[in-house]
Every structure is written in structure tokens, then in C-alpha cells.
Amino acid sequence: MRKISVTTKFGQYTVSVGSGILDSLSKRIPALAGNPRKLVFLLTSPEIWALWGERVQASLFPREPIVLFLPPGERHKRMSQVERLTTEMSKAGGDRSSLLIAFGGGVTGDVGGFVSAIYMRGIDYVQVPTTLLSQVDSSVGGKTGVNLQTGKNLVGCFYPPQAVVADIGLLHTLPQRELRAGIYESIKAGLIRDAGLFRFIESHREAIDRGDPAPLEKMVAASIRIKAEVVCLDEREMGVRMLLNFGHTLGHAIEAASGYRALLHGEAIAWGMIAALDISRRRKMVTEGDTRRIEALIRHFQPPPFPAVSSKRLLQAASGDKKNRAGVRRFVLLQGLGKAVVAEDVTDAEVLAAIAYIRRLSESSK
Amino acid sequence: MRKISVTTKFGQYTVSVGSGILDSLSKRIPALAGNPRKLVFLLTSPEIWALWGERVQASLFPREPIVLFLPPGERHKRMSQVERLTTEMSKAGGDRSSLLIAFGGGVTGDVGGFVSAIYMRGIDYVQVPTTLLSQVDSSVGGKTGVNLQTGKNLVGCFYPPQAVVADIGLLHTLPQRELRAGIYESIKAGLIRDAGLFRFIESHREAIDRGDPAPLEKMVAASIRIKAEVVCLDEREMGVRMLLNFGHTLGHAIEAASGYRALLHGEAIAWGMIAALDISRRRKMVTEGDTRRIEALIRHFQPPPFPAVSSKRLLQAASGDKKNRAGVRRFVLLQGLGKAVVAEDVTDAEVLAAIAYIRRLSESSK
């Protein structure tokens, strides 16, 4: 079991990573010490609860959480669900001292965090991510929120959890496509800040792809450590946190332009990373050798074919991304393995060339 | 013109109070210095905009704010409006550098602040309160939020504005009932922390009731100064900020039990204060003389008759108020003029006796 400390200006919390730590949930939640009258809400999806509910309940015993359900899928990450959930909490007698446990993937975590951030102007919450993607990415960093009809994550709060408990054992039941979607984000973490993590994934790619717990735990912990470092340096995404968006400018554009249906978030990021890498290579910021090596590792995990959307729409979507301030389009580019920089001068021509490149790549792998 | 500085852990901002300062709005908003491409959203109600829109536009010229409307009334302080407004902002191209000006009463300020707190996880905003109640109370302190079907202000954020501009000139057009609703909150500020403010209102009660700008400005500034002090001491309402809730435990109960229709917020607080005063007097925390004097000043401004709700329902509503932690009912009581304390041991019998007392008082003034 590994522990990673995250420090933000709103306080400090611990991320625990290990196999089977779900069974000791209670003692990993500081808010559960003391006050036995505290109400505990648990937000999850019916599918996840069917698989793990009994073990979670046993772990929290003798407390009985009030279970709130959020249907799975990005389309339920909306204000109407936030209103329904907070109303249910209010009806159940939730007050400012109540605790919420978000037990599920990224959607559950983002909605659970947002509900906690705004219910009675903020209650304690804990993230218990059940997918690889949410373990390595969204559960750490305090970003919470929901989508609007006009785009993803357009409303939300920065609101850190009181603790994050990432049990590698939960990943057994994950479909391989979802496992891989998380691996891409770990590769990203390595690429922007930790060449050692990149090399670790590279040399253990078969075992990781099989879901072997030992290398997975090491990969998850290393990825979270990078995210935690970046978040500590820059709580409000003004500078260095932006680097976490490597692959995301085009990745988000791919998701938006294809109506969030064709690819999982991590898969869109995989293509976005290859595109950003292509721009970096053409700018001679990354060697041809490193480019091939990085591309090979991403493609080892077989991102599904690039969706059928026009380059024009992609370019448009990339310019409307919220990572842009007052009209400037920001791209994160690589400067060799383990180092990234923000560029504001990437031209439409460069973006279009990169889109054409990943399109050809996707065609060739069919 | 008076300036009051408010310091919170999220930063510092200035409240300007004066007559006619609406005409110099631009230079009172730090975010408007520099970046000429910044989008400015202005949230208001159609009625307020019809009265003051031209002057506000002239004051912001050459910038042209994108005007967003919120229908007046507490029933529009809901998540559905927040979703509509943020979607409109997104469609208009609002990004993280955009600014929102909340121009209106308490509902506009609370919704505008909440929208700003969560739009793209937080943008700058400015409060320009147009009612006395919002000038002396809700515009300062960073509390933002909306109602749920189950109760008022059950979701929201602590999110301080970048500036507050309180123009006394805006109060000319306010109906007397709304003016008085604000006066009660100023009396409250004096009662809990500033006997001098209480005496000032007492000795200028006729002029204040007529809406004379000079005493109003002094009263507004003194009230804001108290609120600012309390907020600086205690950003998250853990201790001293609770004192601002003098009259609110029962006040909120009256509002809730009468479906928010019978009385304005300030009027419910007026009755709530007389009730809390009655409990304080019976506990011999306030002298008979001070009690009569305080009661006389509140009643000078003629709160409308107490609504027809049963004492049982009121007691129930008072126990479900969100000022209570894990089932404890908190009452703010007076300890003489200018000093308040929090009591957790107020019994149902004391609350019922106080309700009976204000009911008799209301009957006698018919």
C-alpha cells in the first residue's frame, strides 16, 4: 500500500493506493473518526453497487450509508441530477456535517464532488474511484463539475476531497477498453513530467494490459504522484497545471465533434497526444526516435479508429475549448520525454497537419 | 463616499457606498482595467433594467455588457435558472476571464454570485445591489446560492465578489416596504455588534424611514462595516459569523412555514428578532428597559402582521434550519445592546413561549 499526500491551499489530504484497501475504508476517512451521528451518503451507479455494495457496506459497518444512485454515462453528468441528488440529501436530513463518499468512475466522482462542494455550501467528501481512469486522473486534484448542453465540465468548483482511496482490486472487473483508457492518461503523466514512469509502462506493457495488480499499483501510484505534485504547485490551473492537458486540446475537440459517443475520454486523449506529439516533432522539439517510441507505446494499447468527423469541425471545436483565455488557443507540446510546455502560437495549419497525420495513422491500423 | 475593505482567505475586496456612484462603475471594478477583450455579463431583472439600464450602460461605455435576465422573485432562485444562465454565457463565448456584474436585489446577487462561482469553475464578479436589504446584507460576505424544493439556500458556494458598489441613489425607487425590510437587517447589525449603530437608527428613525440619503448612507456603511468585520473574523461561519443569524432561526421558520409568500425576508427577521429578544429577556440576559427600547425601534418600522401558521409547524421548521449541526438547534440570543451569543440549549418550551409572545404583539398592533 502506498500513500501520497496532496497539499492545496484549501488543506491537505491523503491518497491511498493498494490492493484490497476497500475493506478498510472507514479508517481511511478522517471525518468518520468521532461523531457517530454523522450522516454518510454514498453516491454510486447501480452496476458498481451490484458488484461491490456488500463489501463497501461491510467496510463501513456499523455505519449504514444512505445510498444515492447516479445512472452511468456522461449524459447524466448534468445539473438536473445535481438538483435531484441534493434534494434527496436534504430530505434524508443531510446537514453541513454530513459526509459523501463518491464510489464509481469519473462521472460519479465529478458529480459527487460537485454535489459536495455546493450542498449547504460545502460538505466533506471522499473519492473512491473504481476505474483506472478515475484513479490516475480525475479523483485527485479537486476538479468537480457537470456538463452543459454546450460543452463538458462547463460548470463546477475546485473542491478537494478529504481523502482518496484507490483500490487496485476494483480494476479486476473493468472491461479492457476502459483499462486502456486509463493507461493512456498514465502515459500522459509520464510524458509531461516523469520519463521513468513512461519507461516503466513501456517495459511492463504486456503485464499492465493484462491487468496484473503489481505493475498496475506502481503505475497508478506514480501517476497520482505526478498529478499531486502538479496540483500542489498550481492549485488553480494558472500555469503548470495546464501541462496536464497534454493531448486534451484536440482530445476534447474529438469528443465534442463526435458527440461524446465514438470514443472514451482516454481514447480521445490517446489520439490527441499523438497529434500534439506530431506538432512537437515538426517543430523539432522531440526527436524522430522519441516520437516513434512514444507513438509505439500509445498504439500498443490500440486506440479505436479515429471517428468520422471533418477536420474543419475539429479545428473549430479545438478553438472553443475552455483551456483558452480570451480567444487564445493553448496547446501543450512535448519537449522531449518527460517535459512539456504550453504554446499559444500553434497555427491552424499545424493543427490541420496533425489531424491529417492521425487520420492516416488510424486508417493504416485498420 | 465611503470605502470598506473586506478581507477573506480568498483575497481582499472593496465595498464602495455612496450616492450616485453608479456613474463611475467602470473604475470601481479592478477586472475592467487592462484587457479590453474581456466579456462582461450583466445579470439583472427586467424591471430594474428598465429603470437603470441606460445609466449603467453609459457608466460602462465603451464596453457593452451582455445583459442576462432573471425574472424577479424568490421562486426563480433555482438550479434551472443557473443552468439556463450558464448555458447562455457559454453560447455567448464567455470564458474564464469573463466578468459578471450582478445588478439587482438579493435574488440577483445570490444567483449571480453562484453562477460566477461555478461557471468554468469560477470567474470574477461584482455585486451592485439595488435594494437596501442586499446592500446591507447579502452583497457582502461571499455567500452565494439557490434554493431547492426542500428549502432556501440549500445549495451554493462561499465565493467573494471582486468588488461591491452600493449606490444609495438606487434606493429612491424602492417601495417603502422593501426599504423597511432592509432597515430591520441594519438594526440587527447594530444589536449584535454596534450599539452606536442601533442608537443612530433610533435617533434618525423618521429620516431613515423617509429614505433621506445622508442618514441612509451612514446606516448602510455602518452595517456593511459590521458584516465585513464578522466575515473577516470568520470566513466559514464556524463561530462568530453565526451571530449574523440573530432573528434568523425563527425568521427562516416563519418564511418556510408560510411558503415564503406572506412576508419579505427582512420582515420575517423582524419578528424573529423580537422572538429571540423575548427569549433573551426571560433568561435575564437583556434588561426589561433595553427589551422595550429594541422592540419599540423594530416596531416603529411596522412589520406586517404575523402570518397564520401554527406554532407546531414553526417549531418544526426552526429545528430543520441549516444553521443546525447534527441535530442541534442553534439560537442567537442578545446579551445587552450590541452583544450577541450563540445558545444551543434553547428549549421547545422557550421557543413556543416566544412564538406566543410575538403572536400577541402582532394581534395588538392590528
Side-chain angles (χ1 to χ4, degrees), chain B residues 219-244:
Chain B
M219 182 187 82
V220 169
S223 307
I224 290 175
R225 203 164 286 125
I226 292 163
K227 178 116 191 215
E229 267 174 36
V230 169
V231 167
C232 295
L233 285 170
D234 181 8
E235 169 73 12
R236 292 193 65 87
E237 190 165 352
M238 291 309 170
V240 57
R241 190 165 180 162
M242 186 68 74
L243 302 180
L244 293 171

PDB file of all heavy atoms in Angstrom, chain B residues 219-244:
ATOM      1  N   MET B 219     -26.022  54.669   7.676  1.00  0.00           N
ATOM      2  CA  MET B 219     -26.522  53.398   8.196  1.00  0.00           C
ATOM      3  C   MET B 219     -26.020  52.215   7.354  1.00  0.00           C
ATOM      4  O   MET B 219     -25.591  51.185   7.897  1.00  0.00           O
ATOM      5  CB  MET B 219     -28.059  53.417   8.208  1.00  0.00           C
ATOM      6  CG  MET B 219     -28.682  52.157   8.783  1.00  0.00           C
ATOM      7  SD  MET B 219     -30.491  52.113   8.593  1.00  0.00           S
ATOM      8  CE  MET B 219     -30.644  51.545   6.909  1.00  0.00           C
ATOM      9  N   VAL B 220     -26.064  52.369   6.037  1.00  0.00           N
ATOM     10  CA  VAL B 220     -25.610  51.287   5.147  1.00  0.00           C
ATOM     11  C   VAL B 220     -24.124  51.015   5.382  1.00  0.00           C
ATOM     12  O   VAL B 220     -23.708  49.857   5.549  1.00  0.00           O
ATOM     13  CB  VAL B 220     -25.872  51.648   3.661  1.00  0.00           C
ATOM     14  CG1 VAL B 220     -25.167  50.663   2.727  1.00  0.00           C
ATOM     15  CG2 VAL B 220     -27.373  51.659   3.383  1.00  0.00           C
ATOM     16  N   ALA B 221     -23.321  52.077   5.423  1.00  0.00           N
ATOM     17  CA  ALA B 221     -21.879  51.894   5.595  1.00  0.00           C
ATOM     18  C   ALA B 221     -21.573  51.225   6.934  1.00  0.00           C
ATOM     19  O   ALA B 221     -20.747  50.307   7.007  1.00  0.00           O
ATOM     20  CB  ALA B 221     -21.160  53.231   5.477  1.00  0.00           C
ATOM     21  N   ALA B 222     -22.264  51.665   7.997  1.00  0.00           N
ATOM     22  CA  ALA B 222     -22.005  51.075   9.321  1.00  0.00           C
ATOM     23  C   ALA B 222     -22.415  49.599   9.339  1.00  0.00           C
ATOM     24  O   ALA B 222     -21.724  48.754   9.920  1.00  0.00           O
ATOM     25  CB  ALA B 222     -22.754  51.854  10.399  1.00  0.00           C
ATOM     26  N   SER B 223     -23.528  49.286   8.686  1.00  0.00           N
ATOM     27  CA  SER B 223     -23.990  47.892   8.648  1.00  0.00           C
ATOM     28  C   SER B 223     -22.999  47.020   7.890  1.00  0.00           C
ATOM     29  O   SER B 223     -22.689  45.896   8.299  1.00  0.00           O
ATOM     30  CB  SER B 223     -25.357  47.800   7.964  1.00  0.00           C
ATOM     31  OG  SER B 223     -26.272  48.685   8.562  1.00  0.00           O
ATOM     32  N   ILE B 224     -22.527  47.525   6.761  1.00  0.00           N
ATOM     33  CA  ILE B 224     -21.571  46.760   5.946  1.00  0.00           C
ATOM     34  C   ILE B 224     -20.270  46.570   6.720  1.00  0.00           C
ATOM     35  O   ILE B 224     -19.662  45.493   6.678  1.00  0.00           O
ATOM     36  CB  ILE B 224     -21.326  47.464   4.592  1.00  0.00           C
ATOM     37  CG1 ILE B 224     -22.582  47.361   3.720  1.00  0.00           C
ATOM     38  CG2 ILE B 224     -20.106  46.859   3.877  1.00  0.00           C
ATOM     39  CD1 ILE B 224     -22.506  48.117   2.414  1.00  0.00           C
ATOM     40  N   ARG B 225     -19.863  47.635   7.451  1.00  0.00           N
ATOM     41  CA  ARG B 225     -18.619  47.521   8.220  1.00  0.00           C
ATOM     42  C   ARG B 225     -18.724  46.369   9.236  1.00  0.00           C
ATOM     43  O   ARG B 225     -17.781  45.588   9.402  1.00  0.00           O
ATOM     44  CB  ARG B 225     -18.332  48.856   8.929  1.00  0.00           C
ATOM     45  CG  ARG B 225     -16.875  49.041   9.269  1.00  0.00           C
ATOM     46  CD  ARG B 225     -16.547  50.496   9.598  1.00  0.00           C
ATOM     47  NE  ARG B 225     -16.524  51.340   8.412  1.00  0.00           N
ATOM     48  CZ  ARG B 225     -17.234  52.456   8.252  1.00  0.00           C
ATOM     49  NH1 ARG B 225     -18.052  52.876   9.198  1.00  0.00           N
ATOM     50  NH2 ARG B 225     -17.125  53.154   7.145  1.00  0.00           N
ATOM     51  N   ILE B 226     -19.863  46.255   9.872  1.00  0.00           N
ATOM     52  CA  ILE B 226     -20.057  45.166  10.847  1.00  0.00           C
ATOM     53  C   ILE B 226     -20.009  43.812  10.150  1.00  0.00           C
ATOM     54  O   ILE B 226     -19.320  42.895  10.584  1.00  0.00           O
ATOM     55  CB  ILE B 226     -21.399  45.341  11.586  1.00  0.00           C
ATOM     56  CG1 ILE B 226     -21.329  46.581  12.480  1.00  0.00           C
ATOM     57  CG2 ILE B 226     -21.741  44.099  12.408  1.00  0.00           C
ATOM     58  CD1 ILE B 226     -22.675  47.082  12.923  1.00  0.00           C
ATOM     59  N   LYS B 227     -20.737  43.727   9.049  1.00  0.00           N
ATOM     60  CA  LYS B 227     -20.741  42.460   8.313  1.00  0.00           C
ATOM     61  C   LYS B 227     -19.322  42.112   7.864  1.00  0.00           C
ATOM     62  O   LYS B 227     -18.886  40.957   7.975  1.00  0.00           O
ATOM     63  CB  LYS B 227     -21.669  42.576   7.103  1.00  0.00           C
ATOM     64  CG  LYS B 227     -21.699  41.317   6.255  1.00  0.00           C
ATOM     65  CD  LYS B 227     -23.046  40.658   6.225  1.00  0.00           C
ATOM     66  CE  LYS B 227     -22.967  39.281   5.604  1.00  0.00           C
ATOM     67  NZ  LYS B 227     -24.151  38.934   4.831  1.00  0.00           N
ATOM     68  N   ALA B 228     -18.589  43.108   7.365  1.00  0.00           N
ATOM     69  CA  ALA B 228     -17.222  42.889   6.881  1.00  0.00           C
ATOM     70  C   ALA B 228     -16.317  42.404   8.016  1.00  0.00           C
ATOM     71  O   ALA B 228     -15.539  41.462   7.842  1.00  0.00           O
ATOM     72  CB  ALA B 228     -16.663  44.169   6.270  1.00  0.00           C
ATOM     73  N   GLU B 229     -16.445  43.035   9.178  1.00  0.00           N
ATOM     74  CA  GLU B 229     -15.651  42.624  10.341  1.00  0.00           C
ATOM     75  C   GLU B 229     -15.899  41.159  10.682  1.00  0.00           C
ATOM     76  O   GLU B 229     -14.972  40.380  10.891  1.00  0.00           O
ATOM     77  CB  GLU B 229     -16.091  43.420  11.579  1.00  0.00           C
ATOM     78  CG  GLU B 229     -15.328  44.681  11.858  1.00  0.00           C
ATOM     79  CD  GLU B 229     -15.991  45.417  13.023  1.00  0.00           C
ATOM     80  OE1 GLU B 229     -16.488  44.753  13.975  1.00  0.00           O
ATOM     81  OE2 GLU B 229     -16.054  46.650  12.944  1.00  0.00           O
ATOM     82  N   VAL B 230     -17.183  40.821  10.736  1.00  0.00           N
ATOM     83  CA  VAL B 230     -17.556  39.461  11.131  1.00  0.00           C
ATOM     84  C   VAL B 230     -17.062  38.454  10.096  1.00  0.00           C
ATOM     85  O   VAL B 230     -16.538  37.393  10.435  1.00  0.00           O
ATOM     86  CB  VAL B 230     -19.089  39.374  11.313  1.00  0.00           C
ATOM     87  CG1 VAL B 230     -19.531  37.937  11.465  1.00  0.00           C
ATOM     88  CG2 VAL B 230     -19.516  40.203  12.508  1.00  0.00           C
ATOM     89  N   VAL B 231     -17.205  38.809   8.816  1.00  0.00           N
ATOM     90  CA  VAL B 231     -16.778  37.924   7.746  1.00  0.00           C
ATOM     91  C   VAL B 231     -15.262  37.746   7.777  1.00  0.00           C
ATOM     92  O   VAL B 231     -14.742  36.643   7.575  1.00  0.00           O
ATOM     93  CB  VAL B 231     -17.251  38.474   6.383  1.00  0.00           C
ATOM     94  CG1 VAL B 231     -16.570  37.754   5.236  1.00  0.00           C
ATOM     95  CG2 VAL B 231     -18.760  38.348   6.278  1.00  0.00           C
ATOM     96  N   CYS B 232     -14.520  38.841   8.054  1.00  0.00           N
ATOM     97  CA  CYS B 232     -13.057  38.750   8.144  1.00  0.00           C
ATOM     98  C   CYS B 232     -12.668  37.809   9.277  1.00  0.00           C
ATOM     99  O   CYS B 232     -11.742  37.002   9.146  1.00  0.00           O
ATOM    100  CB  CYS B 232     -12.432  40.111   8.444  1.00  0.00           C
ATOM    101  SG  CYS B 232     -12.650  41.303   7.133  1.00  0.00           S
ATOM    102  N   LEU B 233     -13.373  37.921  10.384  1.00  0.00           N
ATOM    103  CA  LEU B 233     -13.047  37.103  11.545  1.00  0.00           C
ATOM    104  C   LEU B 233     -13.303  35.629  11.277  1.00  0.00           C
ATOM    105  O   LEU B 233     -12.692  34.756  11.859  1.00  0.00           O
ATOM    106  CB  LEU B 233     -13.902  37.526  12.749  1.00  0.00           C
ATOM    107  CG  LEU B 233     -13.502  38.835  13.427  1.00  0.00           C
ATOM    108  CD1 LEU B 233     -14.567  39.238  14.433  1.00  0.00           C
ATOM    109  CD2 LEU B 233     -12.149  38.675  14.104  1.00  0.00           C
ATOM    110  N   ASP B 234     -14.218  35.365  10.395  1.00  0.00           N
ATOM    111  CA  ASP B 234     -14.745  34.007  10.337  1.00  0.00           C
ATOM    112  C   ASP B 234     -15.350  33.722   8.977  1.00  0.00           C
ATOM    113  O   ASP B 234     -16.557  33.781   8.791  1.00  0.00           O
ATOM    114  CB  ASP B 234     -15.818  33.884  11.418  1.00  0.00           C
ATOM    115  CG  ASP B 234     -16.414  32.497  11.463  1.00  0.00           C
ATOM    116  OD1 ASP B 234     -15.894  31.609  10.772  1.00  0.00           O
ATOM    117  OD2 ASP B 234     -17.395  32.320  12.186  1.00  0.00           O
ATOM    118  N   GLU B 235     -14.466  33.391   8.028  1.00  0.00           N
ATOM    119  CA  GLU B 235     -14.919  33.247   6.645  1.00  0.00           C
ATOM    120  C   GLU B 235     -15.940  32.132   6.467  1.00  0.00           C
ATOM    121  O   GLU B 235     -16.797  32.206   5.608  1.00  0.00           O
ATOM    122  CB  GLU B 235     -13.697  33.032   5.739  1.00  0.00           C
ATOM    123  CG  GLU B 235     -13.976  32.614   4.306  1.00  0.00           C
ATOM    124  CD  GLU B 235     -14.544  33.740   3.445  1.00  0.00           C
ATOM    125  OE1 GLU B 235     -14.524  34.910   3.879  1.00  0.00           O
ATOM    126  OE2 GLU B 235     -15.030  33.467   2.351  1.00  0.00           O
ATOM    127  N   ARG B 236     -15.862  31.116   7.306  1.00  0.00           N
ATOM    128  CA  ARG B 236     -16.712  29.962   7.004  1.00  0.00           C
ATOM    129  C   ARG B 236     -17.795  29.672   8.033  1.00  0.00           C
ATOM    130  O   ARG B 236     -18.256  28.564   8.171  1.00  0.00           O
ATOM    131  CB  ARG B 236     -15.872  28.721   6.716  1.00  0.00           C
ATOM    132  CG  ARG B 236     -15.106  28.879   5.400  1.00  0.00           C
ATOM    133  CD  ARG B 236     -14.514  27.589   4.927  1.00  0.00           C
ATOM    134  NE  ARG B 236     -15.562  26.625   4.588  1.00  0.00           N
ATOM    135  CZ  ARG B 236     -16.141  26.546   3.408  1.00  0.00           C
ATOM    136  NH1 ARG B 236     -15.785  27.349   2.454  1.00  0.00           N
ATOM    137  NH2 ARG B 236     -17.060  25.657   3.194  1.00  0.00           N
ATOM    138  N   GLU B 237     -18.221  30.734   8.708  1.00  0.00           N
ATOM    139  CA  GLU B 237     -19.403  30.634   9.556  1.00  0.00           C
ATOM    140  C   GLU B 237     -19.284  29.581  10.641  1.00  0.00           C
ATOM    141  O   GLU B 237     -20.264  28.963  11.047  1.00  0.00           O
ATOM    142  CB  GLU B 237     -20.636  30.339   8.693  1.00  0.00           C
ATOM    143  CG  GLU B 237     -21.922  30.471   9.463  1.00  0.00           C
ATOM    144  CD  GLU B 237     -23.124  30.548   8.530  1.00  0.00           C
ATOM    145  OE1 GLU B 237     -22.961  30.642   7.319  1.00  0.00           O
ATOM    146  OE2 GLU B 237     -24.232  30.552   9.064  1.00  0.00           O
ATOM    147  N   MET B 238     -18.070  29.347  11.106  1.00  0.00           N
ATOM    148  CA  MET B 238     -17.919  28.335  12.132  1.00  0.00           C
ATOM    149  C   MET B 238     -18.241  28.921  13.508  1.00  0.00           C
ATOM    150  O   MET B 238     -18.683  28.229  14.392  1.00  0.00           O
ATOM    151  CB  MET B 238     -16.492  27.765  12.140  1.00  0.00           C
ATOM    152  CG  MET B 238     -16.193  26.941  10.915  1.00  0.00           C
ATOM    153  SD  MET B 238     -17.449  25.656  10.591  1.00  0.00           S
ATOM    154  CE  MET B 238     -16.974  25.108   8.955  1.00  0.00           C
ATOM    155  N   GLY B 239     -17.978  30.211  13.684  1.00  0.00           N
ATOM    156  CA  GLY B 239     -18.205  30.745  15.015  1.00  0.00           C
ATOM    157  C   GLY B 239     -18.931  32.069  14.986  1.00  0.00           C
ATOM    158  O   GLY B 239     -20.159  32.113  14.966  1.00  0.00           O
ATOM    159  N   VAL B 240     -18.165  33.142  14.919  1.00  0.00           N
ATOM    160  CA  VAL B 240     -18.740  34.477  15.104  1.00  0.00           C
ATOM    161  C   VAL B 240     -19.743  34.829  13.999  1.00  0.00           C
ATOM    162  O   VAL B 240     -20.706  35.554  14.237  1.00  0.00           O
ATOM    163  CB  VAL B 240     -17.619  35.543  15.251  1.00  0.00           C
ATOM    164  CG1 VAL B 240     -16.702  35.544  14.060  1.00  0.00           C
ATOM    165  CG2 VAL B 240     -18.181  36.922  15.487  1.00  0.00           C
ATOM    166  N   ARG B 241     -19.525  34.285  12.804  1.00  0.00           N
ATOM    167  CA  ARG B 241     -20.445  34.599  11.712  1.00  0.00           C
ATOM    168  C   ARG B 241     -21.870  34.147  12.025  1.00  0.00           C
ATOM    169  O   ARG B 241     -22.847  34.721  11.528  1.00  0.00           O
ATOM    170  CB  ARG B 241     -19.954  33.948  10.412  1.00  0.00           C
ATOM    171  CG  ARG B 241     -20.723  34.436   9.195  1.00  0.00           C
ATOM    172  CD  ARG B 241     -20.008  34.081   7.909  1.00  0.00           C
ATOM    173  NE  ARG B 241     -20.776  34.568   6.773  1.00  0.00           N
ATOM    174  CZ  ARG B 241     -20.291  34.726   5.552  1.00  0.00           C
ATOM    175  NH1 ARG B 241     -19.037  34.461   5.307  1.00  0.00           N
ATOM    176  NH2 ARG B 241     -21.043  35.168   4.578  1.00  0.00           N
ATOM    177  N   MET B 242     -21.954  33.120  12.813  1.00  0.00           N
ATOM    178  CA  MET B 242     -23.247  32.627  13.291  1.00  0.00           C
ATOM    179  C   MET B 242     -24.091  33.747  13.919  1.00  0.00           C
ATOM    180  O   MET B 242     -25.314  33.734  13.860  1.00  0.00           O
ATOM    181  CB  MET B 242     -22.953  31.523  14.313  1.00  0.00           C
ATOM    182  CG  MET B 242     -24.137  30.779  14.825  1.00  0.00           C
ATOM    183  SD  MET B 242     -24.891  29.760  13.554  1.00  0.00           S
ATOM    184  CE  MET B 242     -23.690  28.424  13.459  1.00  0.00           C
ATOM    185  N   LEU B 243     -23.401  34.726  14.533  1.00  0.00           N
ATOM    186  CA  LEU B 243     -24.124  35.811  15.216  1.00  0.00           C
ATOM    187  C   LEU B 243     -24.968  36.631  14.239  1.00  0.00           C
ATOM    188  O   LEU B 243     -25.973  37.233  14.629  1.00  0.00           O
ATOM    189  CB  LEU B 243     -23.148  36.721  15.962  1.00  0.00           C
ATOM    190  CG  LEU B 243     -22.267  36.028  17.012  1.00  0.00           C
ATOM    191  CD1 LEU B 243     -21.350  37.038  17.676  1.00  0.00           C
ATOM    192  CD2 LEU B 243     -23.131  35.322  18.061  1.00  0.00           C
ATOM    193  N   LEU B 244     -24.551  36.657  12.978  1.00  0.00           N
ATOM    194  CA  LEU B 244     -25.333  37.379  11.966  1.00  0.00           C
ATOM    195  C   LEU B 244     -26.716  36.763  11.818  1.00  0.00           C
ATOM    196  O   LEU B 244     -27.610  37.359  11.236  1.00  0.00           O
ATOM    197  CB  LEU B 244     -24.613  37.345  10.611  1.00  0.00           C
ATOM    198  CG  LEU B 244     -23.288  38.109  10.524  1.00  0.00           C
ATOM    199  CD1 LEU B 244     -22.599  37.804   9.202  1.00  0.00           C
ATOM    200  CD2 LEU B 244     -23.526  39.609  10.659  1.00  0.00           C
TER     201      LEU B 244
END
